[in-house]
Amino acid sequence: GLMGNYSSLSPEDATRQYGMYLMPGESFVSCFALLCDKMMFTNKRIIFIDHKGMTGTKVRVDSINLNSVIDVRLETGGAGFDHAELSFSYFTSPYYKAYNPTTDSKVLEFPKGFNVQPLYCMLEELAYGNVERLNA
């Protein structure tokens, strides 16, 4: 966490601490922590919890719908630090089939030894399915 990399957080711990942000029928699948901040995958979306200030009492909650993920990239290794950088692009506009939908991207860094492959495969499968569905 001090190096700016995500580490694992159990879905059970995430549910105890952040279950109030879940929609009905939603559950945490895979969760990660970065010092005070959290990134949690549910069965419907990705939730980012950003604790602000020295006390961390001010909280910003952002979410990305899983059906909006359209592209995934993974870069591993590096000079001196063997870490992984996973980035993904997603639609930010509510109408995905619009003529010129807006997109954004997120970059996530993981420490050396963290197995990022399952997360990459999950996001890639989502992106592939979303692009197939949108272009059908």
Side-chain angles (χ1 to χ4, degrees):
L2 293 174
M3 299 293 291
N5 298 316
Y6 282 100
S7 59
S8 292
L9 173 69
S10 76
E12 295 78 24
D13 287 341
T15 301
R16 277 192 296 279
Q17 296 176 37
Y18 303 104
M20 73 284 273
Y21 298 114
L22 294 174
M23 298 182 291
E26 186 176 29
S27 59
F28 291 116
V29 175
S30 186
C31 306
F32 304 93
L34 174 66
L35 294 176
C36 293
D37 299 335
K38 309 294 183 273
M39 174 183 62
M40 299 169 288
F41 289 81
T42 75
N43 55 328
K44 297 181 180 186
R45 59 195 169 125
I46 307 167
I47 301 172
F48 294 91
I49 306 285
D50 183 10
H51 290 272
K52 303 280 188 184
M54 295 298 288
T55 61
T57 54
K58 184 176 179 182
V59 176
R60 177 180 172 162
V61 180
D62 290 320
S63 65
I64 298 169
N65 294 330
L66 292 180
N67 65 0
S68 69
V69 176
I70 54 170
D71 186 42
V72 183
R73 291 171 300 285
L74 176 63
E75 184 177 328
T76 60
F81 297 99
D82 289 329
H83 69 283
E85 187 175 280
L86 179 66
S87 57
F88 62 94
S89 299
Y90 58 96
F91 287 123
T92 57
S93 52
Y95 301 106
Y96 303 152
K97 289 189 175 186
Y99 171 69
N100 194 16
T102 56
T103 62
D104 201 353
S105 61
K106 283 276 190 191
V107 177
L108 313 171
E109 294 190 22
F110 296 89
K112 177 180 180 177
F114 184 88
N115 185 7
V116 73
Q117 292 296 340
L119 182 56
Y120 168 77
C121 290
M122 180 185 79
L123 285 170
E124 185 58 46
E125 185 176 0
L126 281 169
Y128 180 82
N130 291 339
V131 170
E132 286 277 303
R133 177 179 46 82
L134 290 168
N135 289 312

